[in-house]
Structures are given as structure tokens and as C-alpha cells.
Amino acid sequence: MCPADSLREAVPVREADAASARPHTEDPLRDLGVRTHANGGTIRVWSANAASVELVVFDPADLERPIARSPLARDAHGVWEAHSPALVAGAVYGLRVDGPDGPPHAFDPGRALLDPWARGLHPAADGTFRGVVLDPLAEEGFDWGGVGKPRVPLDRTVVYETHLTGFSRLNERIPEPLRGTYAGLAHDASLEYLTGLGVTTIELLPVHAFATEEWLRRKGRANYWGYNTVGYFAPHAPYASAEARAGGAAAVRHEFAGMVRRLHEAGLEVVLDVVYNHTAEEGQGGPTLSLRGIDQASYYRHDAHGRPVDTTGCGNTIDFGTDAAVRLVLDSMRYWAGELQVDGFRLDLAATLGRDAHGTFTPEHPLLQGMLDDPVIGAGKLIAEPWDVGPFGWQTGGFPPGFTEWNDRYRDRMRDFWLGDLRRERHGEPGSGIGRFATRLAGSSNTFAADRGPLASLNFITAHDGFTLADLTAYDVKHNEANGEQNRDGTDHNNSYNHGVEGPTDDEGVRAARRRSIRNLLGTLLLSAGVPMLTAGDEYGRSQHGNNNAYCHDSELTWLTWDAAERDAALEATTRHLLRLRRENPALRPEDYGRLGEHVPTASQMDWYTPDGDTMTIDEWHDPSRRTLLFLAASTPRTGGFNRVLLVVHASETPADVLLPTHPGVDAYELLWDSGDEAPGDGLGTREAPGARVAVAPQSMRLYRAHGGLRAA
């Protein structure tokens, strides 16, 4: 290649470029990608360091045979543009980009690169990808039929995290060609199950077009989870039905949009797990597919010596100190939330998205603020995974108002309280006490700013990575041998407890204790203040046989089973019951934190009692020997009816008698749920008077509705 200066001098200059050199009154990064019009299309690509950019349109039947070429001209802002009559809907195209040699550059004009803004993808035989031109969805004849977004309020939201393929692959109620596809998730059998369960918001593991890492492919394995994005605008084609795949990129997009429409018709939201922090180009020596060949030095983070800076653990990190990288993400999110009508996003390793030009996380970052300020993106749900592996990467509680954050402190505390403390009790050691558990139960006010409230907390016990809920109670250590990494992968810090036996057992006492712990963890999750996330399969006791990192298993290990003999029907009934109780009792779903001595509409007034019915003292709150509390929560609604509930938590292996508290305005307590029962039992609906002493089973929870004609003052 030529030196950079001489290459820049060789860039063709057209008269039209004179206008682009004048001050812009509109965004210079507008309309990146391809826009079609009456006589072809216009492509715009940003590269600060390229010396030349060429558009190549290929024969769809032979991706090695170009049928049209056009040089792009550069404006003063690093945007390269060309018009081509060959850029029509369905055209397959790539970019050839030349530029300076040497780190941190990776220019190679012999490579055909994917346009980062491509709406459709076409795989090539060599493992690379070409873009496919798509007209707007409406121009292709897709009709939303007047179906709008459900707009589920955040306090009523219950997130259900699932893998698109794994959810329906084994469901025999769905026609075989549709199982494991976008259409399979949209099938009546799927919708009936999800609405019957009582969740509101389906969070899909990545469905952006992705590829398997080269090192994993060499081992004969595949990336199942999908956290290795190739294209930020195209649905992953292998998740579409065979019929849609045969129809090409437009048909794949239609099937995805049809899925969203059907879920919306059922009242269910669609949230996408999106991976904007890194791409499938991996680290040094990884494949050159798109951004690396267009302008590696600008799109990816490097240190002062041109060496990659990796805050993701995946080999590369997108540099959000550049305007073009920010624009790439905002354009992608706006496209999915606008044209494809999804309801929100879960942002993988979101601390990376808030790192500025110096690599420092700031909640005022233009990308984070841009999401909130955008009228389409900001109107939906924004869920951050608030960490990465870079310096000061743990940022839970550090995102601006408007974001809900995965609360790892909640996860760790609840696991430790119900499992770690149980182990310690059996060894005669003190537990962690009731106070820190109660703080998380009430909305984690010690983590999130007062103006953000409990709905800033996305509460979870399990997620796609880590043990399932059943495995959390059956394994002390991970068992990832099937991953082919000598059990070195996956976390060793699980806060799990096998209840005395590792793995499967015929000991009914151990099995019953495990089921009870699952119910306690599930009940804690669904009765806590905040936004709960349920991992698909936990509602019926799905196991991965101790594998806590099943990222490379597209098999029955990770798919949901629909065989009744393999599902815990009692646990599933308990899950449905708890979700109904959450819906029916707004005192469990406060939007704001309460303030001592004040009436705060949309908060819950909270009172804490000892087993003897006395108000808890600060010393009792912090006493590690305390394992029992009574939590009375009363709603303070702006509109609607008043509601008050009592939650009894008893985390000891010995039974206890507790005194139901006497409280102003409470005449009776109606039992709604007892985790000591395998399934919602006949005793539900029983009423007790304030001051009554009731027997509580070991290691159990109870929920009551408080009745009475008066509210507390």
C-alpha cells in the first residue's frame, strides 16, 4: 500500500463535494448506510482514516463476481458517499477500503467488507458477510394491522429471559418447521403459555446477526447464546424458518416483525439483549469483517501505542469516544424500536457504552443520554448490565435516571441468605442476619439514588449465564466438562448449596429441601420491590446438570422441555400463583422509595416487626442471629384502591411461632401463600386476627393480605 498522505491526495474530488465542505446545518453523520430512491440508491459510510472507499455490488448467485463498482467521495467530516443505480432492493453489496499501513490500522482493499449499517446480511462461503439492500418495511408491504406496543408500566413488568431457539425447539404443539424460530415464538402455543404464566416482557438473548468465534469453530462447537455480533441492523437469519431463509433477508425480517406483532397482540413486550460493546471481529488476528477494515483505529479502543484496549473480555472494545460509534448504536436502536417496533433493550456490558474518549465511565456520556433523549428509544425500556471488565468497571447504581440496572448485589444477597446461611446454620455458624436481606427485599435503597427509586433495580436470582434455579440448590461447584475447556470456564463463585449431596439424588429429604429452597428464592424474587426477571425454565425446575456456562450447547441441555414428566408441575403452579399475587397487590410494587415521616404517593409504607410482633430495633436489624422478620407494606396510590400485605420470612431450620402484628387499620390477615406447601394449598384464604400466634414451618415464607377499613396515619 501507499503512504497515507499520497493515498489521501488520490481521493477523487467532485464538484458536489464543495457543498459538503461548507459548514453543515444538519448532522454530518445523517443517513449512514444505504437509502434507496427512484433511480437506485445512495450509500454513506464514515471512516476518518481511509484513503479510498469503493462500493462493489455482487451477483447474488456468485459473491465473487462483481456486477457494479462505484468509488465513494469523502466530505470534510469523514463521510464517504456514492450513488449507484445498482443499489436497489435485494442488491448484495460490500465495501473495499484502502488506507495507511501499520498499527492500529487494518486496511486491505482486497477484502469485501460489510456495511455496518446494512439492513440485511448475505453470508459468503469464506465466513465473511455482504450487505443486502432492503427498502423500509412498510414499502415491502408489511402491515402492523393497527397493533401498537403494549407499553407495560415498569412497576407491573415481569421480565422473562429466554433464548429464541431454545424456547420452542421441543414444543410438539408447534409445527415442526416452526420450532426454534421467530414464528415458533409467535405461535399460539407459545403465546398461550407465556400469557398463562403471567409474565409481561419477553427478553430475547441476542437476535442481531452473529457468528461463532473462530477458536470455538476450530473445536467443532458453536456459539449458542449469540454474544458475538456481526451486524447491528439484521435479525439473525438461522433463527428464521426454512421458508423465510429461502426467501432471503427481506423474508427473514418479515418473520421477525410478524413475531413482534403477534406478541404485541397478546399483550407481551419484546426486549432485545443487544451487544454493542464489542463485535465478532475478536482480538488481534481475528477476522476482518466490517469495522476493522473500514477504520479499526477509530471504531475500536487503542492505547497510545496502538495496542487494543479490551474492557469486554472479548478481544475488542468499540470506542464510544467517537461520534460515529455513538451514531451506530443510536441508529441501530432507533431502527429496532421504530421500524421493527421492539419495546426496549438490555444492554450487555453497558459500562463500556458509557466510557468516554479517555476510557472513563460517565453517566453523562452522549450515548447514554442519547438513548434517554431519543423520543423512540427513550420511550421504551432501557435495561443496563452495569459492568464490564475494565478499570472501575463495576457501576451498579451509577447509571442515570431512566435506566433499570441488573442488580448483582440483590442476586448475591438473596442467594447467600437462603442458601449460604442455610449451609452455615448446619455447621453451627452465624448467618448474615436479616437486615441486609430486608434492604434488598425493599428495593435496594442503599444502591440506587433516592430519585431513581426501586424500579431502577432489575432483580434476578439467575440468568442465562450461571446455574439454573434448580441447579443452584443441587450443586456446590460447576460441572462444565462438556464445554471442552477442562472445567476452567464459568464462575467459581456461585453462592449455591447442594443441601448435602452433589447432583441428582434419590434421598427424598434432600429433594424436598431443595424444592423448598427453590420456592423461597422464587418467592423472594417475585415479592420484592423492583423489576423481577425470571429465567426461562426456572418456573418448572429446569436443570443443566451443573453446567453454569452452557454458551456452546445448542441441544436439549439448554432447550426448554415441554414433556410434563420432566417438569415440576407444583413449582410451575407456584410460579403462576406468585405472579398473580404480584399483579393483584400494588403494595409489592412501589415506584418510589418512602421517606421517613412523609406520605409519598406511589411508594409503599413499610413497617418491620420481630417474631413477637414488636417493631424491630436497629440492633435487631443488624443482629446476625436474627433469621425471622415480619414485613408490613401498605400502598400509597395516586389512583386506585388501597392495598396492604404482610410478608413473614423465617430462614431457620427450626419451626417458629410468630405473632401477627397489631397495626392501625388492620382487622384481619388473609393467607395468600405459604412456601412450606409444595403447591398453593387448601389452607389459602384462612384469616387470622392481629395478635394471633401462628406456627411457621422451617425455612419458609408466608404472604398475607391485611384487611381493614382504616389506613395507617
Side-chain angles (χ1 to χ4, degrees):
M1 297 184 201
C2 303
D5 289 344
S6 62
L7 280 169
R8 287 197 179 94
E9 289 171 1
V11 173
V13 178
R14 303 178 306 181
E15 242 181 80
D17 295 332
S20 67
R22 294 195 294 267
H24 276 252
T25 57
E26 51 187 8
D27 188 345
L29 296 181
R30 70 194 182 283
D31 297 335
L32 294 174
V34 173
R35 297 294 186 275
T36 57
H37 36 76
N39 57 345
T42 299
I43 184 166
R44 286 167 54 84
V45 180
W46 182 84
S47 176
N49 292 295
S52 67
V53 181
E54 182 184 48
L55 167 71
V56 184
V57 180
F58 294 94
D59 181 348
D62 181 1
L63 294 185
E64 298 302 316
R65 190 173 80 85
I67 58 175
R69 297 176 183 270
S70 300
L72 278 67
R74 185 187 195 275
D75 70 11
H77 303 278
V79 175
W80 299 75
E81 180 176 326
H83 166 75
S84 171
L87 280 179
V88 296
V92 178
Y93 70 103
L95 300 165
R96 298 191 187 276
V97 185
D98 202 354
D101 291 323
H105 303 297
F107 294 108
D108 180 355
R111 294 180 181 272
L113 303 170
L114 176 68
D115 170 14
W117 273 258
R119 297 316 199 239
L121 267 63
H122 193 305
D126 62 358
T128 62
F129 297 85
R130 308 290 185 265
V132 179
V133 178
L134 297 181
D135 283 332
L137 194 60
E139 293 182 16
E140 292 180 346
F142 185 86
D143 183 6
W144 289 99
V147 177
K149 296 183 180 183
R151 304 287 188 195
V152 178
L154 201 53
D155 70 300
R156 293 178 175 271
T157 297
V158 178
V159 176
Y160 186 80
E161 186 200 47
T162 188
H163 189 283
L164 189 285
T165 291
F167 178 80
S168 66
R169 181 72 66 86
L170 297 176
N171 192 341
E172 295 184 356
R173 292 186 59 201
I174 297 173
E176 195 280 331
L178 303 184
R179 295 176 199 164
T181 70
Y182 300 121
L185 183 60
H187 190 270
D188 284 347
S190 300
L191 302 180
E192 289 168 10
Y193 177 77
L194 292 167
T195 55
L197 184 62
V199 297
T200 69
T201 304
I202 312 306
E203 181 183 301
L204 298 175
L205 267 64
V207 297
H208 285 172
F210 67 87
T212 291
E213 295 86 341
E214 291 191 343
W215 67 268
L216 196 55
R217 190 184 301 112
R218 287 194 296 268
K219 295 174 64 174
R221 298 185 178 276
N223 184 322
Y224 173 64
W225 286 347
Y227 292 87
N228 200 45
T229 307
V230 171
Y232 289 124
F233 292 82
H236 191 57
Y239 288 171
S241 63
E243 181 180 359
R245 295 197 305 272
V252 169
R253 185 173 66 166
H254 271 242
E255 185 172 306
F256 177 89
M259 175 196 74
V260 174
R261 181 178 59 196
R262 289 276 290 153
L263 286 163
H264 284 176
E265 286 174 340
L268 296 166
E269 294 183 311
V270 182
V271 166
L272 303 186
D273 193 338
V274 287
V275 189
Y276 293 121
N277 56 81
H278 75 282
T279 75
E281 293 184 302
E282 304 180 35
Q284 287 183 313
T288 298
L289 304 172
S290 181
L291 297 178
R292 172 169 286 151
I294 293 171
D295 194 347
Q296 174 171 252
S298 297
Y299 279 108
Y300 293 119
R301 286 201 179 278
H302 296 85
D303 64 18
H305 304 286
R307 295 173 300 209
V309 173
D310 182 8
T311 66
T312 68
C314 300
N316 66 64
T317 302
I318 293 185
D319 185 356
F320 293 109
T322 65
D323 291 342
V326 170
R327 172 49 59 91
L328 174 63
V329 171
L330 292 177
D331 282 358
S332 169
M333 295 176 76
R334 192 178 300 110
Y335 173 71
W336 290 92
E339 189 156 343
L340 296 179
Q341 290 290 292
V342 304
D343 302 276
F345 304 90
R346 181 266 187 188
L347 301 158
D348 183 65
L349 298 182
T352 290
L353 278 59
R355 291 187 182 271
D356 62 18
H358 304 289
T360 302
F361 175 84
T362 170
E364 292 80 31
H365 192 285
L367 177 52
L368 302 181
Q369 292 300 322
M371 295 177 195
L372 296 169
D373 294 342
D374 187 276
V376 177
I377 302 169
K381 290 180 166 63
L382 293 171
I383 302 171
E385 183 184 37
W387 52 78
D388 64 15
V389 300
F392 305 101
W394 187 81
Q395 292 292 335
T396 305
F399 279 70
F403 284 87
T404 296
E405 301 175 37
W406 274 32
N407 189 348
D408 54 326
R409 290 287 182 89
Y410 177 94
R411 172 200 63 198
D412 295 346
R413 173 55 50 209
M414 297 320 192
R415 288 186 182 192
D416 196 50
F417 181 78
W418 286 114
L419 299 175
D421 281 359
L422 177 58
R423 182 200 303 275
R424 286 186 279 271
E425 182 178 12
R426 290 184 173 182
H427 288 83
E429 302 169 6
S432 58
I434 204 77
R436 288 186 290 177
F437 166 86
T439 299
R440 298 295 166 191
L441 181 75
S444 296
S445 60
N446 60 342
T447 298
F448 300 99
D451 63 338
R452 296 183 65 192
L455 299 180
S457 177
L458 190 291
N459 297 333
F460 67 110
I461 304 293
T462 67
H464 63 276
D465 55 341
F467 281 145
T468 67
L469 192 56
D471 288 354
L472 199 63
T473 68
Y475 295 91
D476 277 357
V477 296
K478 65 188 181 186
H479 294 269
N480 296 355
E481 292 81 4
N483 296 358
E485 299 183 46
Q486 291 75 51
N487 207 35
R488 292 193 299 264
D489 63 302
T491 183
D492 293 313
H493 304 288
N494 295 293
N495 280 343
S496 59
Y497 180 41
N498 65 14
H499 293 74
V501 179
E502 186 75 356
T505 178
D506 293 328
D507 187 320
E508 184 49 41
V510 172
R511 290 159 61 94
R514 290 174 177 176
R515 293 194 299 270
R516 180 187 61 196
S517 289
I518 291 172
R519 293 193 297 274
N520 287 331
L521 288 163
L522 189 62
T524 299
L525 173 67
L526 298 180
L527 302 179
S528 290
V531 180
M533 183 182 79
L534 183 66
T535 304
D538 279 353
E539 70 270 24
Y540 67 78
R542 185 178 77 88
S543 173
Q544 289 180 169
H545 310 304
N547 192 319
N548 74 353
N549 190 36
Y551 70 99
C552 58
H553 294 278
D554 187 359
S555 68
E556 293 189 14
L557 180 71
T558 52
W559 303 339
L560 270 64
T561 181
W562 298 93
D563 184 344
E566 299 176 19
R567 296 169 69 107
D568 185 334
L571 179 59
E572 193 170 326
T574 295
T575 306
R576 294 173 190 270
H577 183 70
L578 286 166
L579 285 167
R580 180 174 62 80
L581 294 179
R582 184 176 184 86
R583 287 195 303 275
E584 293 176 352
N585 292 279
L588 296 169
R589 304 183 273 104
E591 299 177 44
D592 296 293
Y593 294 127
R595 293 188 293 273
L596 188 63
E598 296 184 38
H599 177 84
V600 180
T602 72
S604 287
Q605 180 179 319
M606 299 177 181
D607 296 279
W608 306 89
Y609 295 94
T610 69
D612 295 324
D614 300 323
T615 300
M616 284 188 70
T617 66
I618 292 296
D619 289 342
E620 289 168 329
W621 187 268
H622 296 293
D623 183 351
S625 67
R626 291 276 174 178
R627 303 292 295 160
T628 308
L629 66 72
L630 286 72
F631 168 45
L632 193 64
S635 68
T636 54
R638 284 197 180 99
T639 59
F642 175 71
N643 173 244
R644 183 187 277 128
V645 295
L646 174 70
L647 183 64
V648 178
V649 178
H650 177 57
S652 175
E653 287 206 280
T654 57
D657 287 342
V658 302
L659 198 70
L660 299 182
T662 300
H663 189 88
V666 177
D667 299 331
Y669 294 101
E670 176 192 359
L671 183 62
L672 302 179
W673 178 63
D674 186 344
S675 75
D677 296 333
E678 289 282 349
D682 296 335
L684 300 186
T686 302
R687 296 198 179 200
E688 302 282 356
R693 189 168 293 277
V694 297
V696 179
Q699 286 285 320
S700 68
M701 304 172 68
R702 285 188 173 194
L703 182 70
Y704 292 87
R705 182 179 290 122
H707 293 276
L710 299 174
R711 301 185 186 186

